[in-house]
Structure formats: C-alpha cells, structure tokens
Amino acid sequence: MAALRYSGLDDTDSEDELPPCWEQRTTKDGWVYYANHTEEKTQWEHPKTGKRKRIAGDLPYGWEQETDENGQVFFVDHINKRTTYLDPRLAFTVDENPTRPTTRQRYDASTTAMEILQGRDFTGKVVVVTGANSGIGFETAKSFALHGAHVILACRNMTRANEAVSRILGEWRKAKVEAMTLDLALLRSVQHFAQAFKAKNVSLHVLVCNAAAFALPWSLTKDGLETTFQVNHLGHFFLVQLLQDVLCCSAPARVVVVSSESHRFTDINDSSGKLDFSRLSPSKSDYWAMLAYNRSKLCNILFSNELHRRLSPRGVTSNAVHPGNMMYSSIHRNWWVYTLLFTLARPFTKSMVPPASLPSQTEHILQPRRCWLTIIVRPKGWL
C-alpha cells in the first residue's frame, strides 16, 4: 500500500488487498505474480482471491520503464521526478480468467480528469477544447496534453489562454499545447479560427465544445443575435460545421458538447408544439438570463443528437454531457447575485482544484459521479 501511494495510485479495493508479508510484482511481459517474504516463495495466484492477473494498458504518460545494473526492472516518473520498482499500472490490472462480471464502479465522485485517461497514450491525436483557459475546459485540456495529445486551447482572451498554456508546460515541458483565438460571440472569429486550424494541415480527433456564458445581461452580438444563445450554442454549431470535413477525414473522431441538466427546465416550442425561433434569440422584454441559458443547453443536446445521427456512419460520434450539479467554477462571474449564491454553496460543491492544492479537507475534488470525461474515451478501439 505504501508503494502504491508512492506511485500516486492508492488501491482502494479491499478484496484485492494482500495479506501481511506478501508483495505484488510484475514480469517484463506484464504478468502479475505474488511473493511471500516469510515463506520465500512466489506464485501466480492472488493469495486471497486465487485470481491470476495481468497488466492492462500502456504506462501512464510521463512514465518510462528501465533496467538497473542487476537486471531488475524499475519505473521512472519524469513528471514528478521519482523512481519506483512498483509498476504504476498495478492499480489497473485485469483478471486473466474472470469468472463473473464485476459490478464495481470504476469512476466516482473523487475521480480526476487525469485518472480518467490513466494508461492511455494520445500521442499523435489532436484535440481542440473551447474555453480551455480555466475550469472544466482547462482540466480537460491539461489531462489530454499530459497524456501525449496535441492540444489546442480555443479561447477568446489570449492573455489568459497563454497563461493556461504556460501552466500546462510547467507540469510537463514536452507537452504539445498551444492557444488560438476563438470568440464564439463573433461568427467571423469562428470562421477565422476554422481557416487557421485547417491551414495547419493536421487531423482533428476530439473537439470539446466547452465554452459557455451564464447569467449575462441582455445584449446582442455584432451578428445581431442574443449573446447567450450565440456563445453557448450557435457559435459551436457553426464551428462544428466548418470543421466537419476535417473530423470525417480524421475518423474515428468525436465531438463532445458540454450541456447541462438545466436543459430540462425550459421549452423552445410554442403553444401549438412548433419550434418558436423567437425564444432562441429573444428581445430584451422577453429575456431572462437563466431561461436563456437553459434554452441554449437544450439546443446543445438536440444538436449533438442530430450530429451523431448524421456523422456516426462516417466514423464521427457526438455526445452531450452534463458536468455535474454541484461543480464550482467561475461561470457565475457575470452577476453578483449568482456570485453570492455560488459562494454560499461553495462548501458543498466540488472544486476544480486538485486535492493536494486544497486549503482544507472540507473541500472535495472535482469531478461529478461518473466523470464526464469518460464519454470521450469510453469506446474501445478508436483511440
């Protein structure tokens, strides 16, 4: 257990906890065996469960396997600058001959974005995340970058975007990450971003439509549309249309649209059941900030479902995801009333700050039950 904690991978499965005097080891080809230091013997079967196991997946990004002068394998964590003789993948072993399916939940309320991508190598994959200079977008971009992906932070504020890039490079100097200008409140900026991205002549394997505005006072964009509707939905809709050909050529690829459970508390149809376009971009007299946000999130889901229907036959899947009811971020910053409410609720919310950085143990990490990042990596074989 101490060695697992040293590797940053605490084993919380009591069934697999080893009895005293036993140690778990691995062979060079990935098989797990068990050493009893009291009886000085080894065996393939777990001393408690009788199961045989093997290592699953590649080493976490930043880890490397080496051999010492005695021929013994050890592992180097280049990110945290430490070494261990314990394979960091031991927390993710699989049964060689499983007898029954397990019902144990792999991800829970304390799962981080880094843990979701544990053991996956995204080298050669290109990921675009909108609104990636802070909050959920930043954590997503950072996790992809530290697992080898070429990540593009698509942001309106380039000063904050470049600061986010520096923070990621500060954790792993070899990370391939950059920032590009994208203002979803200006359709011309969306078009320029798509043109600049295509000029790079690279693939696009994951597009995360994360950026959003919340609790904005009524205003119109330069395109003549209500701002919340354009930023949260229409800008992303236009972006996906412009990059659709790149996504299809990069298949298998994926679009992830960050929506919200609040989409349930609104309607975009009129009394006769027909779509009421005036509700999507309402006038000032018909505007309510929360309702505008809810409608934009409903549009996200409808768009994602239809996009999946159209592009999945071409190898591009689309998912709309809910990040969690009690996720604390800076999305409330546009109106002091919401800031006050979010501040009062802060002790009961999940934080975007990793556990080691929390000021006290009363604040809990980050991801909602069954972290939404699993949507990006769930299917087997495509990445």
Side-chain angles (χ1 to χ4, degrees):
M1 292 298 291
L4 278 171
R5 285 192 293 271
Y6 178 76
S7 298
L9 298 170
D10 291 12
D11 186 359
T12 59
D13 190 346
S14 59
E15 181 188 68
D16 287 339
E17 187 173 344
L18 289 171
C21 303
W22 284 87
E23 181 186 357
Q24 190 173 217
R25 298 176 179 175
T26 57
T27 64
K28 289 185 178 181
D29 54 356
W31 290 97
V32 178
Y33 68 98
Y34 304 90
N36 186 316
H37 294 288
T38 301
E39 300 179 11
E40 296 184 352
K41 69 174 185 179
T42 61
Q43 64 186 53
W44 294 110
E45 295 79 14
H46 190 285
K48 286 178 63 177
T49 66
K51 297 177 181 177
R52 292 193 178 196
K53 295 190 174 185
R54 57 183 174 82
I55 295 297
D58 301 322
L59 284 169
Y61 193 73
W63 286 79
E64 186 177 6
Q65 179 177 300
E66 297 184 8
T67 306
D68 63 17
E69 62 274 9
N70 297 320
Q72 188 170 359
V73 175
F74 67 97
F75 301 89
V76 181
D77 179 0
H78 292 287
I79 295 178
N80 297 302
K81 298 180 176 58
R82 58 188 179 181
T83 61
T84 175
Y85 283 93
L86 187 75
D87 193 321
R89 297 168 295 177
L90 282 173
F92 302 93
T93 56
V94 296
D95 295 342
E96 173 57 17
N97 294 304
T99 56
R100 61 180 184 276
T102 177
T103 57
R104 182 188 177 198
Q105 182 172 305
R106 184 174 181 182
Y107 305 114
D108 58 24
S110 64
T111 305
T112 67
M114 289 294 291
E115 291 169 341
I116 291 295
L117 300 186
Q118 172 70 39
R120 292 183 179 270
D121 184 3
F122 281 83
T123 302
K125 304 299 180 182
V126 180
V127 179
V128 172
V129 184
T130 68
N133 58 277
S134 63
I136 297 171
F138 175 75
E139 295 297 329
T140 301
K142 181 179 73 171
S143 186
F144 274 120
L146 296 184
H147 284 84
H150 175 190
V151 181
I152 296 174
L153 281 63
C155 305
R156 176 178 56 86
N157 188 322
M158 287 305 293
T159 299
R160 295 181 64 188
N162 287 325
E163 290 174 355
V165 169
S166 298
R167 288 166 60 193
I168 295 173
L169 292 174
E171 294 199 30
W172 180 241
R173 63 181 179 82
K174 294 183 180 180
K176 196 170 184 180
V177 57
E178 60 179 301
M180 292 179 62
T181 303
L182 174 65
D183 185 355
L184 294 166
L186 187 63
L187 295 181
R188 183 173 59 186
S189 174
V190 179
Q191 193 169 29
H192 287 169
F193 173 88
Q195 291 171 348
F197 179 84
K198 290 182 177 180
K200 293 178 177 291
N201 196 30
V202 296
S203 300
L204 178 56
H205 301 99
V206 180
L207 172 58
V208 183
C209 299
N210 164 76
F214 176 76
L216 292 178
W218 183 87
S219 65
L220 294 179
T221 66
K222 292 183 179 180
D223 300 300
L225 296 164
E226 192 277 313
T227 303
T228 302
F229 172 65
Q230 180 165 332
V231 172
N232 292 6
H233 171 63
L234 194 61
H236 283 129
F237 175 89
F238 189 38
L239 177 64
V240 173
Q241 300 310 303
L242 294 174
L243 296 179
Q244 178 176 308
D245 56 337
V246 183
L247 286 163
C248 292
C249 291
S250 307
R254 171 153 298 190
V255 176
V256 178
V257 184
V258 181
S259 183
S260 171
E261 189 71 14
S262 64
H263 79 277
R264 300 180 184 277
F265 309 111
T266 188
D267 195 0
I268 55 176
N269 294 334
D270 58 22
S271 57
S272 64
K274 295 182 180 180
L275 178 63
D276 186 352
F277 287 98
S278 66
R279 296 189 180 189
L280 301 181
S281 183
S283 63
K284 187 174 183 178
S285 60
D286 296 327
Y287 180 79
W288 182 36
M290 192 68 221
L291 196 56
Y293 177 81
N294 294 352
R295 286 170 176 165
S296 70
K297 297 291 104 177
L298 176 57
C299 289
N300 288 162
I301 292 177
L302 296 174
F303 164 59
S304 179
N305 288 348
E306 179 62 18
L307 182 69
H308 182 81
R309 187 187 70 82
R310 295 189 182 194
L311 295 190
S312 57
R314 302 174 63 183
V316 180
T317 57
S318 179
N319 292 91
V321 298
H322 169 50
N325 290 319
M326 299 299 284
M327 180 76 67
Y328 187 88
S329 69
S330 59
I331 196 171
H332 56 79
R333 62 187 178 274
N334 295 300
W335 192 27
W336 69 269
V337 174
Y338 284 111
T339 299
L340 177 60
L341 292 174
F342 272 69
T343 301
L344 293 174
R346 178 98 190 245
F348 310 102
T349 62
K350 298 163 189 171
S351 172
M352 296 305 305
V353 183
S357 303
L358 290 175
S360 72
Q361 294 182 354
T362 60
E363 295 179 271
H364 303 285
I365 181 161
L366 126 35
Q367 301 291 357
R369 193 167 186 83
R370 195 169 186 185
C371 173
W372 70 269
L373 191 58
T374 60
I375 296 295
I376 301 176
V377 299
R378 184 187 302 160
K380 296 181 178 178
W382 77 279
L383 284 178

